[in-house]
Amino acid sequence: PGTFKMAECGASGGGSSGDSLDKSITLSRREGLQASFHPPGLNFAWFVSPLTGGSLTKLAYYSTVQHKVAKVRSFDHSGKDAEHDHEPPYEISVQEEITARLHFIKFENTYIEACLDFIKDHLVNTETKVIQATGGGAYKFKDLIEEKLRLRVAKQDVMTCLIKGCNFVLKNIPQEAFVYQKDSDPEFRFQTNHPDIFPYLLVNIGSGVSIVKVETEDRFEWVGGSSIGGGTFWGLGALLTRTKKFDELLHLASKGQHTNVDMLVQDIYGGAHQTLGLSGNLIASSFGKSATADKEFSKEDMAKSLLHMISNDIGQLACLHAKLHGLGRVYFGGFFIRGHPVTMRTITYSINFFSKGEVQALFLRHEGYLGAIGAFLKGAEQDNPNQYSWGENYAGSSGLMSTAPELGPTQRARSGTFDLLEMDRLERPLVNLPLLLDPSSYVPDTVDLTDDALARKYWLTCFEEALDGVVKRAVASQPDAADAAERAEKFRQKYWNKLQTLRQQPFAYGTLTVRSLLDTREHCLNEFNFPDPYSKVKQKENGAALKCFPGVTRALDSLGWEQRQLALVKGLLAGNVFDWGAKAVSDVLESDPQFGFEEAKRKLQERPWLVDSYSKWLQRLKGPPHKCALIFADNSGVDIILGVFPFVRELLFRGTEVILACNSGPALNDVTHSEALIVAERIAAMDPVVHSALRGERLLLVQTGSSSPCLDLSRLDKGLAVLVRERGADLVVIEGMGRAVHTNYHAALRCESLKLAVIKNAWLAERLGGRLFSVIFKYEVPAE
């Protein structure tokens, strides 16, 4: 089991795909990498666009990825007083784990032989009998495929495949859909996917136009179409301009001025038509001037006029069908779109004009893959891929309008591959937090860096400057690995390249946010087998904090009720200072090993805090206890043990049940679910309140389904969501800068919520009107 990549440097496990065509599409056996397959006939799928001059083939295939994970296991402390032992609270072992990955690659058909050789050598095993294929290429290349691969081609219905593919990306890639805004910078505006994607209208513009109403996963209906589509643009364009290539025709259109050819309203009426409310610059007659003007028209102008004519016609048709069926979301796809700005601009204008803004034209980042994804899913139905949630692997995917900058021009030219997408299967299904007030309007991220140029420049620079420290930490986490430094250097190059891509194309992976920058870094670390660079740091800090726990709780118990409530909150905040992801903190922790809980308290801003709802919270505590509190924990060590657990203990003492949610996988020094389980058992051995609550299931530890330093409340572990419903959670506590400031600061919930954090970044603190170590304590009660 392993992974392989085509034409992309840095395969999982530290392997490189090299500089030559042979290396870029060949599995390196000496690196122990080999493919793993679906059952017979289900290992890959094939899609060739029906009308692009046979120029593009999309290949979808499945592999298993073997990578390292850091596992924690409690020591056997029977018969010993563990609190006084010098050994750590648990042991860490690095194990191999296998996960599933879907790969999607586009080939230029110039390299069809290389593509078939790759499939033959690496994706076909002795049990493989069938290849799933769809699109025009399923017919065009059928004989070649069957002869070369000795496989039977199973042709799948194009429209069924497109819809299956569209459903898949909309459900699994939150930033998949975007609107195109001509005069914005950047021009892409991404939409956070509605949890219920149905119903919607899919307008597929190929040779002609097909309009399909999609109502459920398996129910859709062809509701209309037109013979005037992409083929019309290409055919008439070729006759008008003598240009045979589709992309060249679009290039001509992008340089043209349609008003030289089209007759406008003002050409007929001398200005706007006031009675009908039509502005003077609207097209009254496409190509209208060519009938009367005694002159030659440029190819560029004719191509532009033709593009407007066809796009406006399609836009009006789509708008009418959307209104007829009461649908506000219309997704456009097909070879006519292919991410071309001039096409998206004209369709968007047409939809806006004819619907008066009521219908939205939406485009898809991975529109070109829909057919291949659908064909793959169709072939893999017995494995039911839809029962899982999938996540985009930023480390192995090239972004929108990107040609994968890590590939050199020579490599691209020789391999003929470009535009890669990788999707990793997640362990468990992800769903919305049931306590979101309005899931359809929920946006996790507080600041859109795609929009905010100043913030974008700052954070990209910030992540660049932090890279040396991350590399150093990664190497230090694997002292016994001879190749750690080499792999860390490959990680550096990969992540650096991603950052440079995002400087030029901030929209490459959807809306650019601090969360996406952090997640991309984690993906790149995993790609080069650095699963948990902070595992030893967390182990040491957890051990030290556990020794302090009895003293902290004794001090709290000696206080009067009101004093104790403030001390508990200050303890939560002081614990949150211990964040290795913040440079201001990591510098202190590395230079002063004695920096501890009390020192962190002294760092905190004095009240009144930057955001201060504490008095309102205190008043609420004088009322009846909450039924159940859901707490999203942040960091290991002092944070979880001396900050969160005393707070949990107080809630339990009041009669409130507690669900403590921690990351499923590692990110920075954030506490993971498996670490929290051990920490909780150790605390229970010292504290009867926690012990009783754990045994009586009034304190429940669950995983979030996330491996991110931030928090997306629309993609949480299904088990957590079920528990929240069953226990009737009526208080949500979100702590930490990543979870409560970078994300969820504006999240509206159905129940009471506490969002608290210490701002450990001077630039961000100043932007919020405070200083370094300013405090956010935001208590919110939903409107009646």
Side-chain angles (χ1 to χ4, degrees), residues 551-611:
V552 168
T553 52
R554 277 195 300 271
L556 287 165
D557 290 345
S558 70
L559 298 173
W561 183 84
E562 199 155 315
Q563 279 181 300
R564 188 165 70 249
Q565 304 316 308
L566 182 58
L568 284 163
V569 166
K570 283 186 174 179
L572 262 178
L573 294 165
N576 194 243
V577 168
F578 290 81
D579 183 353
W580 281 88
K583 191 173 186 301
V585 176
S586 61
D587 286 350
V588 171
L589 295 175
E590 286 181 340
S591 62
D592 182 7
Q594 301 307 311
F595 184 85
F597 192 42
E598 296 305 318
E599 287 79 7
K601 287 181 186 176
R602 289 193 285 273
K603 285 272 187 188
L604 295 178
Q605 173 193 14
E606 291 294 326
R607 290 194 68 201
W609 296 320
L610 183 61
V611 175

Side-chain angles (χ1 to χ4, degrees), residues 275-517:
T275 307
L276 297 178
L278 302 176
S279 67
N281 60 1
L282 284 177
I283 300 171
S285 175
S286 295
F287 289 92
K289 289 179 181 173
S290 60
T292 55
D294 188 18
K295 64 172 185 177
E296 290 289 320
F297 294 99
S298 73
K299 291 180 179 181
E300 290 82 359
D301 292 347
M302 288 190 292
K304 186 62 168 283
S305 175
L306 182 62
L307 182 65
H308 273 291
M309 181 180 81
I310 289 169
S311 297
N312 284 332
D313 183 61
I314 293 170
Q316 183 176 30
L317 195 60
C319 176
L320 290 170
H321 279 286
K323 287 194 161 189
L324 181 65
H325 295 280
L327 300 172
R329 285 172 292 179
V330 183
Y331 296 103
F332 287 87
F335 91 91
F336 185 63
I337 306 291
R338 290 201 301 170
H340 285 286
V342 66
T343 310
M344 292 188 292
R345 185 165 67 238
T346 50
I347 285 178
T348 299
Y349 179 86
S350 174
I351 284 277
N352 285 341
F353 176 79
F354 288 114
S355 75
K356 296 182 171 60
E358 291 178 13
V359 178
Q360 204 169 33
L362 292 159
F363 305 94
L364 301 170
R365 273 175 59 208
H366 300 103
E367 177 274 323
Y369 292 114
L370 301 186
I373 292 171
F376 181 88
L377 295 173
K378 188 79 176 148
E381 278 179 341
Q382 71 185 59
D383 283 354
N384 192 12
N386 279 321
Q387 71 182 310
Y388 304 103
S389 289
W390 299 78
E392 183 175 5
N393 174 29
Y394 295 138
S397 301
S398 52
L400 184 69
M401 307 290 282
S402 164
T403 52
E406 57 264 48
L407 310 184
T410 308
Q411 231 179 325
R412 275 201 302 275
R414 296 186 64 190
S415 72
T417 66
F418 62 99
D419 280 359
L420 304 109
L421 168 63
E422 290 184 356
M423 301 284 288
D424 287 336
R425 191 176 78 191
L426 308 179
E427 286 186 17
R428 299 168 72 167
L430 301 181
V431 297
N432 278 307
L433 176 68
L435 297 172
L436 282 172
L437 183 64
D438 180 13
S440 65
S441 63
Y442 169 70
V443 177
D445 304 284
T446 306
V447 178
D448 181 350
L449 302 182
T450 324
D451 255 347
D452 192 329
L454 188 64
R456 179 169 73 243
K457 183 179 178 183
Y458 169 77
W459 285 111
L460 285 170
T461 302
C462 186
F463 278 89
E464 286 173 358
E465 291 174 349
L467 197 45
D468 284 345
V470 177
V471 169
K472 181 181 171 186
R473 175 65 56 192
V475 175
S477 72
Q478 298 182 3
D480 300 327
D483 65 342
E486 181 188 352
R487 283 185 287 113
E489 196 51 44
K490 287 178 178 176
F491 153 73
R492 180 207 300 274
Q493 197 57 49
K494 166 81 83 168
Y495 189 55
W496 176 267
N497 285 340
K498 294 289 181 188
L499 292 174
Q500 303 325 300
T501 296
L502 291 167
R503 278 197 184 276
Q504 301 302 316
Q505 297 164 180
F507 47 79
Y509 297 98
T511 300
L512 182 64
T513 63
V514 173
R515 175 168 63 106
S516 67
L517 289 170

Side-chain angles (χ1 to χ4, degrees), residues 51 205-209 227-241 243-254 287 299-311 314 335-338 340 342-343 346:
L51 189 63
I205 313 171
S207 313
V209 180
S227 61
I228 301 171
T232 315
F233 173 69
W234 198 353
L236 281 177
L239 293 172
L240 289 167
T241 67
T243 301
K244 293 293 184 183
K245 292 189 175 178
F246 184 82
D247 286 329
E248 285 180 17
L249 194 59
L250 275 173
H251 183 66
L252 286 175
S254 69
F287 289 92
K299 291 180 179 181
E300 290 82 359
D301 292 347
M302 288 190 292
K304 186 62 168 283
S305 175
L306 182 62
L307 182 65
H308 273 291
M309 181 180 81
I310 289 169
S311 297
I314 293 170
F335 91 91
F336 185 63
I337 306 291
R338 290 201 301 170
H340 285 286
V342 66
T343 310
T346 50

